[in-house]
Amino acid sequence: MRVPEIPEESAPDLRAGDPPAPAQVAARPLIRRSARAGARLADHDAASLAELLRQAGGTASAARAVAGKVVRHAFGAEPGAPRPAPAWDAGALAALEVGAWAHEALLALDPGLSLEIAERAPSEDDTLRLVLRARDGALIESVLIPGPARTTLCVSSQVGCARACAFCETGRLGLARQLAAGEIVDQVRIAQALAAERRGAPLRNLVFMGMGEPFDNLGEVLKAIRLLTDPRAFRFAPSHVTVSTVGVVDKIEPFFREARAELAVSLNAPDDARRQAIMPVNARFSMAALKEALARSMPPGRRVLFEYVLFDRYNDAPEDADLLAAYVTGLRCRVNVIPCNPGPDPALRPPSAERLDAFVARLAGHGVTTLVRRPRGRDVGGACGQLAGVARVRQPAPA
Ligand code: SAH
């Protein structure tokens, strides 16, 4: 099996002993991130911009000051307001009182969007699934989910995914490439403009629950989060940014160390045997190792959100709720129960309303804070686990 080339710091942790992930066989070669990232303004947070300016000859403090002005100019506005393209020429920089020494390095960066809208699929429930096309033709999906008080955007972190969960359409694609930070940020820029155009509640909530495994692209995800939560730039509250992982255990501590965002972990089964059967990651990182890493790394006052997709007669028995409650005991957490959406494995179906209610009641009865995520955007393939823009748009439907 050929394992696709993956930049070192964001490689999924596939070691000897891991079961082969079938989706990887189909993966196309990755475009090296280093060849692409960094040439766009939105690929930089204030710190990486300051570093670039320091290399262009500025002192550390001048570089930091200019970087702050630039992110404010390019990305700062009232939260939720549409963001017109920033003026970006020597005159605009001079108006910001940016010295001539910094102009060449800054103006070499492209302030424009790295993505364009390839398809809009509005759902009956007001959810809007977007297919976005990157400059190299790669297709990703984002889902805009309006709520009464605020709108949520579900963002993608990779083109495809290497993790090959049995119930997830994205997992079937394999990993094509990483997204650059700017391509993550640009999903938000596009969605902000659309949310304003639709006159719904402003976009104030971000969930990294679209295509991809964020912890397999943690460097770019963290850089995007820093720009998105920078009070000079996009001003998202860190408590309104949630990163969801399959449970890449060795990235949990770095995540908590470097991001103030919230963490969600997809558990989806109450024991190792069943988890491993549907989530190949569990062969490398057991549920005990996952719990230990969470207990050790979670900063005081933070809690984790466990996602538990409910599959009919697979993981939805009352005894499974007991096992799940025992597992989460001792961790500050909430459990989000998600009736499964139709995915690639026809044997994994949603439970009946009765079984769902019984499971939730049993779990809550153990004192576990339990939420139910009602599916949104299912009719347009925009619900959890259904995002597969590449497959839908590029490949003709099987006859
Ligand atoms: N790779 C990350 C983020 C993307 S998936 C992760 O797995 O956490 C976001 C959520 O959708 C996860 O909790 C996942 O378990 C859930 N999901 C995947 N397929 C689903 C399906 N068919 N029905 C319901 N939820 C699904």
Side-chain angles (χ1 to χ4, degrees):
M1 185 184 82
R2 196 181 59 79
V3 175
E5 181 194 10
I6 297 171
E8 192 69 60
E9 70 275 25
S10 49
D13 212 330
L14 297 166
R15 301 267 162 86
D18 275 1
Q24 288 226 342
V25 179
R28 278 157 282 146
L30 290 178
I31 297 165
R32 278 201 82 84
R33 210 184 57 212
S34 53
R36 311 166 28 256
R40 296 183 164 276
L41 189 54
D43 284 330
H44 290 280
D45 62 2
S48 75
L49 201 55
E51 176 54 25
L52 186 128
L53 289 164
R54 220 187 43 71
Q55 285 168 14
T59 63
S61 68
R64 265 200 310 275
V66 170
K69 285 182 195 174
V70 166
V71 299
R72 190 188 296 277
H73 168 69
F75 307 118
E78 279 310 298
R83 250 151 252 277
W88 195 245
D89 52 28
L93 294 180
L96 294 174
E97 298 181 356
V98 170
W101 63 271
H103 287 200
E104 189 182 337
L106 288 173
L107 295 177
L109 300 173
D110 182 345
L113 290 169
S114 58
L115 304 169
E116 61 182 16
I117 300 177
E119 184 190 333
R120 297 180 193 210
S123 154
E124 275 170 8
D125 64 20
D126 235 17
T127 297
L128 178 65
R129 180 175 62 83
L130 295 172
V131 182
L132 302 173
R133 187 184 296 111
R135 293 292 168 102
D136 65 353
L139 296 169
I140 55 165
E141 300 193 346
S142 308
V143 186
L144 199 60
I145 310 161
R150 58 175 182 254
T151 292
T152 295
L153 183 70
C154 180
V155 301
S156 293
S157 56
Q158 298 183 307
V159 184
C161 184
R163 292 296 172 175
C165 297
F167 46 84
C168 178
E169 289 290 351
T170 311
R172 188 146 69 160
L173 300 174
L175 178 64
R177 71 166 170 87
Q178 307 289 7
L179 288 182
E183 291 172 315
I184 296 170
V185 168
D186 285 349
Q187 296 172 60
V188 177
R189 289 209 278 176
I190 288 171
Q192 273 179 325
L194 286 175
E197 188 183 298
R198 302 173 102 214
R199 296 173 201 282
L203 175 57
R204 289 201 207 281
N205 204 41
L206 300 177
V207 293
F208 283 76
M209 297 182 186
M211 292 168 70
E213 167 49 41
F215 278 14
D216 287 343
N217 188 18
L218 189 58
E220 295 300 296
V221 166
L222 287 172
K223 211 196 300 173
I225 289 175
R226 284 194 290 266
L227 185 62
L228 291 165
T229 56
D230 188 328
R232 298 162 297 190
F234 288 88
R235 298 169 58 181
F236 280 88
S239 57
H240 286 169
V241 177
T242 302
V243 176
S244 178
T245 176
V246 291
V248 183
V249 164
D250 56 358
K251 298 286 170 64
I252 289 177
E253 194 273 326
F255 171 80
F256 279 125
R257 187 165 18 102
E258 299 193 26
R260 289 188 300 148
E262 298 294 312
L263 181 66
V265 175
S266 299
L267 208 52
N268 298 345
D271 57 42
D272 279 318
R274 276 181 282 175
R275 191 163 190 266
Q276 203 153 309
I278 56 172
M279 298 181 72
V281 68
N282 202 85
R284 167 81 177 100
F285 298 113
S286 69
M287 288 175 64
L290 176 62
K291 183 170 179 176
E292 190 277 324
L294 289 168
R296 179 168 36 82
S297 323
M298 248 159 46
R302 295 276 285 280
R303 58 184 177 174
V304 62
L305 176 70
F306 285 113
E307 293 157 292
Y308 190 94
V309 179
L310 218 51
F311 303 107
D312 187 39
R313 285 163 221 276
Y314 185 76
N315 62 359
D316 67 343
E319 301 75 39
D320 297 335
D322 300 344
L323 285 172
L324 177 57
Y327 179 76
V328 304
T329 298
L331 291 173
R332 287 183 309 278
C333 71
R334 293 172 296 165
V335 175
N336 201 343
V337 175
I338 310 166
C340 111
N341 295 307
D345 185 344
L348 297 171
R349 291 178 309 270
S352 66
E354 291 73 32
R355 288 181 73 87
L356 168 66
D357 291 346
F359 186 90
V360 167
R362 183 96 162 207
L363 190 58
H366 285 290
V368 176
T369 308
T370 308
L371 320 153
V372 180
R373 188 188 295 168
R374 303 282 166 199
R376 304 267 318 253
R378 229 188 219 179
D379 56 329
V380 292
C384 298
Q386 296 189 313
L387 301 187
V390 180
R392 250 198 300 271
V393 176
R394 275 202 183 149
Q395 292 160 11

